[in-house]
Amino acid sequence: IKLTDVTDYLDVTEGVSQNLFRRVLKFQAESAELPDPLLYLITTAWTFHTYLLEKFEHSPILFFAGLPEKGKSRMAKAIIYTARRGIIKASITDAQLIREAEDHQATIFFDMMDFWKSIQRTGSDDIILARFERGLKVARVKYPEKGAFEDMIYYDVFGPTVIASNETINDVLSTRTI
């Protein structure tokens, strides 16, 4: 299938939304080469879902894996540049992730060589796993002096996530990814 044929899957009526969808699809397709042109429909639809997030209970994580210099980061950056409140992260801290997720409701792109190892090292794996589903919260002890159950703060970290890594990911995380 050729990229020009991909737009045949869209509704034939012309309008602003179809035109915008085609323009975003074209931008993403020109940014990096995916193994199947139909995958651009997925990345473009996913990009639009970042703007309509309040309508969704889940946000599938986009995961790009492969050898170095194969276009993973280039494709993910094209998605982040067109996504709502896109942020690119090459390193992480637990506090940053919570702030960007809860306060900014950001679409976050993690560009790391061994993503899962980096996440576990910071103790942020629960944040990444919880970003997939609305309503999941992560707890952090913020006021230890207050004692048990009074010392915790619960954060809403739901939001769109893109990952590019040279290494495979955890089995649990893989169930939340496209």
Side-chain angles (χ1 to χ4, degrees):
I1 189 165
K2 294 180 274 196
L3 181 59
T4 53
D5 298 334
V6 170
T7 56
D8 292 341
Y9 287 88
L10 304 175
D11 187 60
V12 293
T13 57
E14 284 300 316
V16 174
S17 59
Q18 286 88 10
N19 185 38
L20 181 58
F21 192 94
R22 284 185 174 92
R23 289 176 60 204
V24 171
L25 187 142
K26 183 176 186 272
F27 171 75
Q28 290 181 0
E30 290 172 350
S31 298
E33 186 177 337
L34 293 176
D36 183 337
L38 288 176
L39 293 172
Y40 296 111
L41 285 174
I42 293 172
T43 61
T44 304
W46 188 92
T47 299
F48 275 74
H49 124 272
T50 68
Y51 289 92
L52 303 168
L53 203 56
E54 66 278 354
K55 305 227 182 256
F56 295 95
E57 294 301 313
H58 294 88
S59 180
I61 298 168
L62 291 184
F63 180 66
F64 295 95
L67 298 171
E69 303 299 319
K70 294 297 180 187
K72 300 177 300 294
S73 296
R74 211 170 32 251
M75 185 69 234
K77 285 178 181 177
I79 293 167
I80 285 299
Y81 293 156
T82 54
R84 179 177 178 262
R85 296 184 183 159
I87 295 175
I88 300 171
K89 307 289 292 172
S91 65
I92 53 169
T93 66
D94 208 41
Q96 274 182 333
L97 283 180
I98 288 171
R99 284 185 188 108
E100 288 163 352
E102 184 166 84
D103 298 341
H104 300 299
Q105 298 171 340
T107 300
I108 304 174
F109 164 40
F110 297 96
D111 192 8
M112 300 176 183
M113 285 182 54
D114 191 342
F115 173 76
W116 193 248
K117 191 181 289 182
S118 298
I119 292 298
Q120 286 185 309
R121 195 171 30 250
T122 63
S124 302
D125 46 334
D126 61 336
I127 295 172
I128 302 304
L129 293 173
R131 283 189 59 77
F132 166 77
E133 186 174 355
R134 183 180 301 284
L136 295 181
K137 305 229 185 241
V138 297
R140 295 294 184 269
V141 173
K142 185 137 180 174
Y143 306 105
E145 68 279 1
K146 290 185 177 182
F149 305 109
E150 299 295 320
D151 58 351
M152 306 281 284
I153 300 280
Y154 292 86
Y155 298 96
D156 179 8
V157 294
F158 173 68
T161 308
V162 181
I163 302 166
S165 182
N166 296 334
E167 303 292 329
T168 59
I169 52 173
N170 168 288
D171 288 340
V172 175
L173 181 58
S174 71
T175 65
R176 294 161 165 80
T177 65
I178 296 176

